[in-house]
Amino acid sequence: MTRKASTGMEHEQHDTTGKGRKKHDAKHTIFSSTLATRSIEMSSCSILGDEAMTINTNSHSVLQDVTEASTEASQSSVGSSSRQSSFSKRGRDSSSRSLSMIRLSHKESFKNANVEALTANKLRFSSLGVFGLDKETGILKDCLERLVMAGEDATDSTTETGEGDVRASARELVFISGVSGTGKTTLAKTMASQTKLHKGLYITGKFDFYLRDEPYSGFVAACRELCGEILMLRNDTSTEAKCQEICDEIMSELGDEISLLTNIFPVLGEILDIDYASAPADNSSDDAYGKEGINYAFRKFLRVVSTHFKPLVIVLDDLQWADAASFELLETLITDRENPQIMVIGCYRSNEVDDAHFLSKIMRDLHEKKENDGFRITEICVGNLDVHSFNQIIIELLSVDSDDSSIDLAEICHKRTLGNAFHFMAFLSMLEQEGMLEFNLGLFQWIWDISEIEEETAAAANVVDLMKNKMKKQTGGVLNLLQLASCLGSSFDEKILFVTWEGLGKTRRLGSWTGSSDEDEDEKVRSRDGLKQVLGQAIDEAFLEAHGESHYRWVHDKVQEAAMSLDAEEKMQEIQSDIGEILLRELSKTELRAAIFVVANLLNAKEASDPAKRTKVAEINLDAAEKAKDLSAFESAAKYGGKGIGLLPADRWTSQKELSLKMYSICAEAHYIIGNVAETQKYCDEVLHQDEIPILDKMRVYHCVLMTMSNGGRAPEALQLSLDILSQLKCKFPRTRASQMAKAIYWLSKTKLPSKDEIAELSLMTDPTHKACMQLMINAAYNAHHCGNSFAMILIITCTVQWTMKYGIDLNSPAAFAILGFIKLESKSIESKVTSLVYFMVAPWAKSLQSTLPYLLQGYKVGMETVNSFSCGKSLKALEADCKTYCAQMRELSQDEILYCTLPFWQGILNLMHGSENPLILSGDAIEHEDAFIAKSFMCSFYGNHELGAKLALERGDAYLKKNGSVLVMSDFFHQGISLFAMSRKTKKRKYIKRANKINETMKSWAKKGNPNVNHCIMFLGAEKAALNGKHKEATLLYSQAISTASRTGFQQDAALGSERFGEFLLYDLDDKERAIYQLKDAIRLYSNWGALYKADTLRKKHSSLWSNELPESVEWS
């Protein structure tokens, strides 16, 4: 193969071996310019990077020498019809490649001192900007500008009137999607300079494929970077006072909650000069509170920071690998109205996120909340680049003078990489390494042979293989560093890196560190100075990049993947295990707790055979499981716990009883919380069969068994088991209904809710037996309620309250007070930590219904959220997507009680959206479930089949109210009332009128007791009653007020139904066609906005005669 310096004309190629000649059209592309001109141009542009200054700082004589040499070399090539050079694919003489055209023998000193300093002969990818993403960059910039302007408007308002509300500042949430390597992260990085222009702060965090079990890892990385910025303020005398001010505000705002964050990222303790990492907060007894507490602490921490760094831009990369806790934290932060001028950019791989992925659900939920919570969502999809963009990159990277001279190279690169930006960079690097793209020092230009590239890269490897080939050509030290670093995650600290670097050097696991047998040379490389030198080489080769002071990260996860696959899997497992042992031995207790997930993952890479070592690794997994549980990362807790159990010996209940009990208990708890019924039962059975373990030590697994029974529709069994365990703990209750009734009536009359002062004087409950009984009693009360055994529930709750007053406050005490208040109908604003009892049964009677939804995700999860969301007017499209994804999971996990409550509402949602032959039929196995009749009552009201709706209302009466105190009662009574009043107006029958009036009065009593969710219902039913009694003016006023109130409070489905009923009242009762048309069209609009498209279409067809250009009536309900 022959390569020529040319201008792109046709050339005749000569076979230098004499074996023959062949002619073909080949574009041998170069660029030309004199060194003097090019050195000046390049020193002023970013292509050369910082090292370009080397050229300009050398003496004028040196520049002149190089210029003369370049000119001489250029002249020697002029007029030459052909200049032959031999190029082999794998090996070339490096000296002939770099200096064959330059006569610098008389300037040997210059060559040795300055040729290596040149940077024009290197591919400087780091100097490139963003190509082919102008539109996307503009969108990001607009988001930031909008955020900044909102903050300035709020500040101006405060300055002028003294009443500005900083909460009005809109937060920005941006999702950037695309496949790996398309430039998502690079696009997000464009905000760094923009943020700096506004004197804000730009921080980044990345989730790691190899550390997916580590909770909050992306947020931890971002907050670590943030803390580094604060520490930099302390190191500068001009900003030291600001640093202290920030620290004081953090201490003041968070108080004791600081421990929740220092447990997650200990660097926060460094800037505050405190150490909470070794004494984390105790959240284990209240998992729901633990997650809520952590989210709230993060929220308050970032509130403080964002007041000092405006705007605050947080980039979270690789969201597809984030844990569930991180997604919920993301939602918590972006919906915080108290946190002004915060922008979150989330990048994720679109090909790894389907509809069932938790990120998809969070995105759907956030779209629903953005309007009410005052933030904006922008979605950007980044695709592959086109040939033109590739050509622009080549022109910039190689300093090519014209588009035409590089288009062929751009086309072949695009063909080989399919337009993927990262693969393109790796492909160019490979071309340079293989000598198919090289810098000619004689002409001071890059040259390539397009025919050679076409031929030699016909079967180009994937990007991981390209990176591996590049790595294998590095020195032993760099290669060892890359293998070591790949085991530490996507980012790592220099201290941990050096500890493992030094330790692995002693084990000889990685072989020679220099490529030679010189022990002294190896020793130098293994030193701290040697590590810094090798790190510098890895950074120069674009494998790693510095990320803050003494912190490093991989430039791309594909590079880390390549490093991880350099050796056979078995060899890498040995290396990982060695690194884990080194960290376990060398790190302090505080450092080990901070890095417990990394250490556990490394030790788990290869299963140990030594019994003592297996026990130690099991203990590390227990520590990781407990920390994951403290952080509410229950999936991770289950994985670490299961791994630890697998390491225990066969005689575990004899030789390792305490460790085994902890392991099985935490696995049972974790699997219960994530809904794995079979796994929960397996771990519980193992513990419960150990007769030598005291019953008090089995309480953790007993609790899991009881809750599994409750959620599986086995409330009677759960109640009996609770009473059995209580009896063994010397807390006995009567078992017969008659005895329970007698004692319940007696104790209810004797038990009063304590005042605030009385509660304040109570001490904390400390006795383990008393605390266990409190938890069991709350569980028993819950199941008694679901069994319909009201007297047992009342008796147990009154006992729980009395124990609280006698023995002190326990975590279960608020639940007891709340339920007793509900029983006495006095609970207006009692809060509770027991979600399933309070936020589904008590809170909706005292708080805004919409405000209960986030808490339901902790208790009944998606099932109960669906029921409440349907009642409070959440978009049907979002609800249908949730049901489709999660009902299957409920069935798989045997969450029958929740499933059978959800299924009829799901079918009702589908009927409202898409219709069916008869929308009132809710087909399926769940039709016999009581909630199915409630859903059918709803459908009767929406589709106007009031005869059936009234019939169901009369048949069921108050039975559901007496049995259930949930939000369904309110919605059920409301829709019963609509159908009953409709039939009363139609038939004037007393049975309908009597029942309708009773429902109306009952709902009024709820409002008097402080229920904020029934006000529009009362107005609506009042309008129906006024219409029944011929009070048309009163009815008109009440309909209007009901619709307005429902719309304002978020009950858009009730506003739609109200507009429909009002429109038909105007049409049929008042014969006011003009106003009727307005109301009915408004009803259609509201139904459509809700997502009930089939219902909207049905209403449109039903009244098609009222407006022109409508379809004829095809669906009608009488």
Side-chain angles (χ1 to χ4, degrees), residues 729-761:
L729 295 174
K730 312 302 181 185
C731 178
K732 298 183 179 181
F733 288 91
R735 300 299 181 94
T736 65
R737 288 290 182 103
S739 298
Q740 290 171 350
M741 180 179 67
K743 289 206 171 188
I745 295 172
Y746 175 78
W747 284 112
L748 182 61
S749 65
K750 294 290 184 180
T751 306
K752 295 182 179 180
L753 285 171
S755 65
K756 291 182 179 179
D757 293 338
E758 288 175 317
I759 294 176
E761 293 176 359

mmCIF file of all heavy atoms in Angstrom, residues 729-761:
data_model
loop_
_atom_site.group_PDB
_atom_site.id
_atom_site.type_symbol
_atom_site.label_atom_id
_atom_site.label_comp_id
_atom_site.label_asym_id
_atom_site.label_seq_id
_atom_site.Cartn_x
_atom_site.Cartn_y
_atom_site.Cartn_z
ATOM 1 N N LEU A 729 -47.160 -13.463 75.289
ATOM 2 C CA LEU A 729 -46.443 -12.351 75.920
ATOM 3 C C LEU A 729 -47.198 -11.788 77.124
ATOM 4 O O LEU A 729 -46.928 -10.688 77.582
ATOM 5 C CB LEU A 729 -46.201 -11.247 74.885
ATOM 6 C CG LEU A 729 -45.271 -11.603 73.725
ATOM 7 C CD1 LEU A 729 -45.239 -10.484 72.694
ATOM 8 C CD2 LEU A 729 -43.861 -11.897 74.227
ATOM 9 N N LYS A 730 -48.159 -12.558 77.639
ATOM 10 C CA LYS A 730 -48.933 -12.202 78.835
ATOM 11 C C LYS A 730 -49.857 -11.008 78.617
ATOM 12 O O LYS A 730 -50.143 -10.260 79.545
ATOM 13 C CB LYS A 730 -47.997 -11.913 80.027
ATOM 14 C CG LYS A 730 -46.917 -12.950 80.260
ATOM 15 C CD LYS A 730 -47.507 -14.340 80.490
ATOM 16 C CE LYS A 730 -46.401 -15.377 80.758
ATOM 17 N NZ LYS A 730 -46.949 -16.748 80.856
ATOM 18 N N CYS A 731 -50.314 -10.806 77.382
ATOM 19 C CA CYS A 731 -51.277 -9.750 77.084
ATOM 20 C C CYS A 731 -52.480 -10.434 76.420
ATOM 21 O O CYS A 731 -52.496 -10.644 75.212
ATOM 22 C CB CYS A 731 -50.663 -8.697 76.163
ATOM 23 S SG CYS A 731 -51.794 -7.371 75.694
ATOM 24 N N LYS A 732 -53.478 -10.787 77.242
ATOM 25 C CA LYS A 732 -54.565 -11.635 76.765
ATOM 26 C C LYS A 732 -55.836 -10.834 76.494
ATOM 27 O O LYS A 732 -56.149 -9.898 77.222
ATOM 28 C CB LYS A 732 -54.848 -12.718 77.792
ATOM 29 C CG LYS A 732 -53.662 -13.659 78.023
ATOM 30 C CD LYS A 732 -54.012 -14.763 79.000
ATOM 31 C CE LYS A 732 -52.820 -15.711 79.193
ATOM 32 N NZ LYS A 732 -53.134 -16.818 80.121
ATOM 33 N N PHE A 733 -56.530 -11.241 75.411
ATOM 34 C CA PHE A 733 -57.812 -10.637 75.029
ATOM 35 C C PHE A 733 -58.859 -11.743 74.929
ATOM 36 O O PHE A 733 -58.531 -12.886 74.587
ATOM 37 C CB PHE A 733 -57.697 -9.928 73.674
ATOM 38 C CG PHE A 733 -56.906 -8.654 73.710
ATOM 39 C CD1 PHE A 733 -55.536 -8.662 73.459
ATOM 40 C CD2 PHE A 733 -57.524 -7.445 73.989
ATOM 41 C CE1 PHE A 733 -54.804 -7.491 73.499
ATOM 42 C CE2 PHE A 733 -56.800 -6.271 74.025
ATOM 43 C CZ PHE A 733 -55.443 -6.295 73.782
ATOM 44 N N PRO A 734 -60.119 -11.409 75.207
ATOM 45 C CA PRO A 734 -61.188 -12.413 75.054
ATOM 46 C C PRO A 734 -61.346 -12.822 73.591
ATOM 47 O O PRO A 734 -61.129 -12.019 72.690
ATOM 48 C CB PRO A 734 -62.428 -11.699 75.580
ATOM 49 C CG PRO A 734 -62.120 -10.239 75.454
ATOM 50 C CD PRO A 734 -60.648 -10.116 75.671
ATOM 51 N N ARG A 735 -61.739 -14.059 73.358
ATOM 52 C CA ARG A 735 -61.857 -14.571 71.993
ATOM 53 C C ARG A 735 -63.295 -14.615 71.486
ATOM 54 O O ARG A 735 -63.511 -14.632 70.275
ATOM 55 C CB ARG A 735 -61.251 -15.979 71.914
ATOM 56 C CG ARG A 735 -59.774 -16.050 72.296
ATOM 57 C CD ARG A 735 -58.908 -15.198 71.375
ATOM 58 N NE ARG A 735 -57.499 -15.282 71.707
ATOM 59 C CZ ARG A 735 -56.646 -16.133 71.130
ATOM 60 N NH1 ARG A 735 -57.076 -16.964 70.209
ATOM 61 N NH2 ARG A 735 -55.392 -16.147 71.487
ATOM 62 N N THR A 736 -64.286 -14.655 72.360
ATOM 63 C CA THR A 736 -65.673 -14.736 71.895
ATOM 64 C C THR A 736 -66.212 -13.346 71.598
ATOM 65 O O THR A 736 -65.813 -12.355 72.217
ATOM 66 C CB THR A 736 -66.561 -15.406 72.956
ATOM 67 O OG1 THR A 736 -66.611 -14.574 74.132
ATOM 68 C CG2 THR A 736 -66.011 -16.786 73.333
ATOM 69 N N ARG A 737 -67.118 -13.264 70.632
ATOM 70 C CA ARG A 737 -67.686 -11.975 70.234
ATOM 71 C C ARG A 737 -68.422 -11.305 71.395
ATOM 72 O O ARG A 737 -68.352 -10.088 71.555
ATOM 73 C CB ARG A 737 -68.653 -12.171 69.059
ATOM 74 C CG ARG A 737 -67.994 -12.488 67.732
ATOM 75 C CD ARG A 737 -67.235 -11.289 67.179
ATOM 76 N NE ARG A 737 -66.644 -11.549 65.894
ATOM 77 C CZ ARG A 737 -67.140 -11.111 64.724
ATOM 78 N NH1 ARG A 737 -68.244 -10.407 64.716
ATOM 79 N NH2 ARG A 737 -66.523 -11.381 63.593
ATOM 80 N N ALA A 738 -69.135 -12.096 72.183
ATOM 81 C CA ALA A 738 -69.906 -11.517 73.291
ATOM 82 C C ALA A 738 -68.986 -10.857 74.310
ATOM 83 O O ALA A 738 -69.228 -9.726 74.764
ATOM 84 C CB ALA A 738 -70.750 -12.600 73.964
ATOM 85 N N SER A 739 -67.907 -11.547 74.659
ATOM 86 C CA SER A 739 -66.962 -10.978 75.630
ATOM 87 C C SER A 739 -66.265 -9.752 75.057
ATOM 88 O O SER A 739 -66.041 -8.765 75.755
ATOM 89 C CB SER A 739 -65.927 -12.037 76.018
ATOM 90 O OG SER A 739 -66.541 -13.145 76.643
ATOM 91 N N GLN A 740 -65.919 -9.813 73.783
ATOM 92 C CA GLN A 740 -65.267 -8.665 73.141
ATOM 93 C C GLN A 740 -66.193 -7.459 73.124
ATOM 94 O O GLN A 740 -65.769 -6.330 73.374
ATOM 95 C CB GLN A 740 -64.851 -9.040 71.717
ATOM 96 C CG GLN A 740 -63.706 -10.029 71.649
ATOM 97 C CD GLN A 740 -63.463 -10.549 70.241
ATOM 98 O OE1 GLN A 740 -64.274 -10.319 69.335
ATOM 99 N NE2 GLN A 740 -62.364 -11.276 70.063
ATOM 100 N N MET A 741 -67.501 -7.680 72.844
ATOM 101 C CA MET A 741 -68.443 -6.575 72.804
ATOM 102 C C MET A 741 -68.589 -5.932 74.180
ATOM 103 O O MET A 741 -68.556 -4.697 74.304
ATOM 104 C CB MET A 741 -69.799 -7.082 72.307
ATOM 105 C CG MET A 741 -70.872 -5.992 72.237
ATOM 106 S SD MET A 741 -72.465 -6.600 71.623
ATOM 107 C CE MET A 741 -72.937 -7.685 72.982
ATOM 108 N N ALA A 742 -68.752 -6.743 75.199
ATOM 109 C CA ALA A 742 -68.950 -6.209 76.552
ATOM 110 C C ALA A 742 -67.752 -5.386 76.999
ATOM 111 O O ALA A 742 -67.902 -4.265 77.512
ATOM 112 C CB ALA A 742 -69.219 -7.359 77.523
ATOM 113 N N LYS A 743 -66.552 -5.929 76.805
ATOM 114 C CA LYS A 743 -65.356 -5.218 77.253
ATOM 115 C C LYS A 743 -65.064 -3.999 76.381
ATOM 116 O O LYS A 743 -64.553 -2.989 76.866
ATOM 117 C CB LYS A 743 -64.154 -6.167 77.245
ATOM 118 C CG LYS A 743 -64.228 -7.222 78.343
ATOM 119 C CD LYS A 743 -62.847 -7.716 78.731
ATOM 120 C CE LYS A 743 -62.932 -8.591 79.981
ATOM 121 N NZ LYS A 743 -61.607 -8.951 80.505
ATOM 122 N N ALA A 744 -65.382 -4.076 75.095
ATOM 123 C CA ALA A 744 -65.151 -2.944 74.203
ATOM 124 C C ALA A 744 -66.005 -1.755 74.618
ATOM 125 O O ALA A 744 -65.529 -0.609 74.678
ATOM 126 C CB ALA A 744 -65.460 -3.336 72.763
ATOM 127 N N ILE A 745 -67.285 -2.008 74.905
ATOM 128 C CA ILE A 745 -68.176 -0.921 75.326
ATOM 129 C C ILE A 745 -67.695 -0.312 76.630
ATOM 130 O O ILE A 745 -67.677 0.917 76.799
ATOM 131 C CB ILE A 745 -69.627 -1.451 75.463
ATOM 132 C CG1 ILE A 745 -70.153 -1.876 74.084
ATOM 133 C CG2 ILE A 745 -70.531 -0.398 76.083
ATOM 134 C CD1 ILE A 745 -71.497 -2.586 74.129
ATOM 135 N N TYR A 746 -67.266 -1.159 77.540
ATOM 136 C CA TYR A 746 -66.804 -0.663 78.845
ATOM 137 C C TYR A 746 -65.552 0.196 78.701
ATOM 138 O O TYR A 746 -65.499 1.332 79.204
ATOM 139 C CB TYR A 746 -66.539 -1.849 79.775
ATOM 140 C CG TYR A 746 -65.935 -1.429 81.105
ATOM 141 C CD1 TYR A 746 -66.725 -0.872 82.106
ATOM 142 C CD2 TYR A 746 -64.562 -1.584 81.339
ATOM 143 C CE1 TYR A 746 -66.172 -0.473 83.317
ATOM 144 C CE2 TYR A 746 -64.002 -1.197 82.537
ATOM 145 C CZ TYR A 746 -64.809 -0.641 83.519
ATOM 146 O OH TYR A 746 -64.238 -0.245 84.710
ATOM 147 N N TRP A 747 -64.548 -0.332 78.005
ATOM 148 C CA TRP A 747 -63.277 0.392 77.917
ATOM 149 C C TRP A 747 -63.369 1.625 77.029
ATOM 150 O O TRP A 747 -62.661 2.605 77.244
ATOM 151 C CB TRP A 747 -62.172 -0.543 77.420
ATOM 152 C CG TRP A 747 -61.702 -1.481 78.480
ATOM 153 C CD1 TRP A 747 -61.861 -2.831 78.518
ATOM 154 C CD2 TRP A 747 -61.024 -1.116 79.676
ATOM 155 N NE1 TRP A 747 -61.321 -3.358 79.662
ATOM 156 C CE2 TRP A 747 -60.787 -2.319 80.397
ATOM 157 C CE3 TRP A 747 -60.584 0.084 80.232
ATOM 158 C CZ2 TRP A 747 -60.139 -2.345 81.623
ATOM 159 C CZ3 TRP A 747 -59.940 0.063 81.453
ATOM 160 C CH2 TRP A 747 -59.722 -1.124 82.139
ATOM 161 N N LEU A 748 -64.250 1.604 76.036
ATOM 162 C CA LEU A 748 -64.427 2.786 75.213
ATOM 163 C C LEU A 748 -64.986 3.941 76.035
ATOM 164 O O LEU A 748 -64.585 5.100 75.856
ATOM 165 C CB LEU A 748 -65.356 2.483 74.031
ATOM 166 C CG LEU A 748 -65.589 3.629 73.044
ATOM 167 C CD1 LEU A 748 -64.279 4.065 72.383
ATOM 168 C CD2 LEU A 748 -66.594 3.220 71.966
ATOM 169 N N SER A 749 -65.900 3.623 76.951
ATOM 170 C CA SER A 749 -66.465 4.674 77.800
ATOM 171 C C SER A 749 -65.448 5.190 78.808
ATOM 172 O O SER A 749 -65.544 6.341 79.267
ATOM 173 C CB SER A 749 -67.702 4.143 78.532
ATOM 174 O OG SER A 749 -67.339 3.096 79.437
ATOM 175 N N LYS A 750 -64.478 4.346 79.171
ATOM 176 C CA LYS A 750 -63.485 4.742 80.168
ATOM 177 C C LYS A 750 -62.248 5.407 79.560
ATOM 178 O O LYS A 750 -61.460 6.016 80.267
ATOM 179 C CB LYS A 750 -63.025 3.502 80.953
ATOM 180 C CG LYS A 750 -64.102 2.862 81.817
ATOM 181 C CD LYS A 750 -64.451 3.754 82.997
ATOM 182 C CE LYS A 750 -65.446 3.064 83.917
ATOM 183 N NZ LYS A 750 -65.792 3.922 85.081
ATOM 184 N N THR A 751 -62.064 5.274 78.237
ATOM 185 C CA THR A 751 -60.836 5.761 77.596
ATOM 186 C C THR A 751 -61.106 7.075 76.879
ATOM 187 O O THR A 751 -62.026 7.166 76.068
ATOM 188 C CB THR A 751 -60.306 4.725 76.582
ATOM 189 O OG1 THR A 751 -60.147 3.467 77.241
ATOM 190 C CG2 THR A 751 -58.961 5.169 76.020
ATOM 191 N N LYS A 752 -60.298 8.046 77.201
ATOM 192 C CA LYS A 752 -60.422 9.354 76.558
ATOM 193 C C LYS A 752 -59.117 9.698 75.845
ATOM 194 O O LYS A 752 -58.046 9.275 76.253
ATOM 195 C CB LYS A 752 -60.734 10.429 77.598
ATOM 196 C CG LYS A 752 -62.079 10.255 78.281
ATOM 197 C CD LYS A 752 -62.337 11.389 79.268
ATOM 198 C CE LYS A 752 -63.694 11.229 79.933
ATOM 199 N NZ LYS A 752 -63.972 12.323 80.908
ATOM 200 N N LEU A 753 -59.259 10.471 74.793
ATOM 201 C CA LEU A 753 -58.062 10.940 74.103
ATOM 202 C C LEU A 753 -57.319 11.936 74.987
ATOM 203 O O LEU A 753 -57.940 12.866 75.522
ATOM 204 C CB LEU A 753 -58.432 11.602 72.776
ATOM 205 C CG LEU A 753 -58.835 10.661 71.636
ATOM 206 C CD1 LEU A 753 -59.386 11.460 70.466
ATOM 207 C CD2 LEU A 753 -57.662 9.824 71.187
ATOM 208 N N PRO A 754 -56.024 11.771 75.164
ATOM 209 C CA PRO A 754 -55.274 12.689 76.029
ATOM 210 C C PRO A 754 -55.112 14.054 75.365
ATOM 211 O O PRO A 754 -55.178 14.189 74.147
ATOM 212 C CB PRO A 754 -53.932 11.991 76.186
ATOM 213 C CG PRO A 754 -53.786 11.176 74.945
ATOM 214 C CD PRO A 754 -55.174 10.721 74.586
ATOM 215 N N SER A 755 -54.885 15.052 76.191
ATOM 216 C CA SER A 755 -54.624 16.393 75.681
ATOM 217 C C SER A 755 -53.175 16.491 75.217
ATOM 218 O O SER A 755 -52.357 15.606 75.495
ATOM 219 C CB SER A 755 -54.883 17.432 76.773
ATOM 220 O OG SER A 755 -53.955 17.261 77.832
ATOM 221 N N LYS A 756 -52.840 17.589 74.565
ATOM 222 C CA LYS A 756 -51.458 17.796 74.112
ATOM 223 C C LYS A 756 -50.508 17.863 75.300
ATOM 224 O O LYS A 756 -49.387 17.339 75.247
ATOM 225 C CB LYS A 756 -51.366 19.086 73.291
ATOM 226 C CG LYS A 756 -52.070 19.018 71.946
ATOM 227 C CD LYS A 756 -51.879 20.309 71.177
ATOM 228 C CE LYS A 756 -52.555 20.237 69.814
ATOM 229 N NZ LYS A 756 -52.395 21.515 69.059
ATOM 230 N N ASP A 757 -50.942 18.487 76.355
ATOM 231 C CA ASP A 757 -50.083 18.599 77.552
ATOM 232 C C ASP A 757 -49.829 17.232 78.162
ATOM 233 O O ASP A 757 -48.708 16.936 78.610
ATOM 234 C CB ASP A 757 -50.732 19.527 78.577
ATOM 235 C CG ASP A 757 -50.782 20.967 78.091
ATOM 236 O OD1 ASP A 757 -49.969 21.314 77.204
ATOM 237 O OD2 ASP A 757 -51.634 21.732 78.577
ATOM 238 N N GLU A 758 -50.859 16.400 78.199
ATOM 239 C CA GLU A 758 -50.690 15.060 78.772
ATOM 240 C C GLU A 758 -49.729 14.228 77.928
ATOM 241 O O GLU A 758 -48.899 13.481 78.459
ATOM 242 C CB GLU A 758 -52.052 14.368 78.857
ATOM 243 C CG GLU A 758 -52.958 14.935 79.928
ATOM 244 C CD GLU A 758 -54.340 14.311 79.906
ATOM 245 O OE1 GLU A 758 -54.898 14.123 78.791
ATOM 246 O OE2 GLU A 758 -54.872 14.002 80.984
ATOM 247 N N ILE A 759 -49.840 14.359 76.612
ATOM 248 C CA ILE A 759 -48.926 13.622 75.727
ATOM 249 C C ILE A 759 -47.494 14.118 75.894
ATOM 250 O O ILE A 759 -46.546 13.328 75.898
ATOM 251 C CB ILE A 759 -49.386 13.752 74.263
ATOM 252 C CG1 ILE A 759 -50.735 13.044 74.061
ATOM 253 C CG2 ILE A 759 -48.341 13.178 73.316
ATOM 254 C CD1 ILE A 759 -51.305 13.197 72.675
ATOM 255 N N ALA A 760 -47.324 15.420 76.035
ATOM 256 C CA ALA A 760 -45.987 16.006 76.166
ATOM 257 C C ALA A 760 -45.271 15.508 77.417
ATOM 258 O O ALA A 760 -44.032 15.448 77.460
ATOM 259 C CB ALA A 760 -46.085 17.526 76.189
ATOM 260 N N GLU A 761 -46.033 15.138 78.446
ATOM 261 C CA GLU A 761 -45.425 14.686 79.702
ATOM 262 C C GLU A 761 -45.049 13.206 79.678
ATOM 263 O O GLU A 761 -44.367 12.729 80.580
ATOM 264 C CB GLU A 761 -46.402 14.936 80.859
ATOM 265 C CG GLU A 761 -46.635 16.418 81.136
ATOM 266 C CD GLU A 761 -47.686 16.633 82.215
ATOM 267 O OE1 GLU A 761 -48.232 15.606 82.713
ATOM 268 O OE2 GLU A 761 -47.944 17.793 82.571
#
